[in-house]
Amino acid sequence: MSTLELIVSDLKTLPPPKLEEAAALIHNLKESSHAERTDALRRTAGVWSGPRGAAIEKAIEEGCEKIDERGW
């Protein structure tokens, strides 16, 4: 049984008040996960700007955007 299936199975055995607690906890976990991703994006926004960003862009253009017909 998968983790999700085990959780759902356990949830089915909870009385309504505990089920509401579980729902609130899951909602809080989802919200905090979203906030963590948003914070990570804010912290890293603009990291590859200026000369460093130009160097990375050049490396991508020179090495990553070429199609090697023999490699596929």
Side-chain angles (χ1 to χ4, degrees), residues 59-66:
I60 291 170
E61 287 174 0
E62 291 176 355
C64 299
E65 293 184 1
K66 295 179 181 174

Side-chain angles (χ1 to χ4, degrees), residues 1-67:
M1 204 181 271
S2 74
T3 302
L4 180 59
E5 290 169 328
L6 289 170
I7 292 169
V8 170
S9 176
D10 287 343
L11 288 172
K12 287 179 180 180
T13 66
L14 294 176
K18 290 294 182 182
L19 192 56
E20 289 178 24
E21 278 184 53
L25 177 61
I26 291 167
H27 178 74
N28 288 338
L29 288 171
K30 181 180 171 185
E31 291 298 316
S32 67
S33 176
H34 176 72
E36 289 170 5
R37 288 192 310 271
T38 301
D39 289 343
L41 286 172
R42 281 194 195 112
R43 286 191 312 271
T44 58
V47 170
W48 286 357
S49 60
R52 196 172 192 186
I56 291 169
E57 185 176 348
K58 182 180 177 187
I60 291 170
E61 287 174 0
E62 291 176 355
C64 299
E65 293 184 1
K66 295 179 181 174
I67 297 173

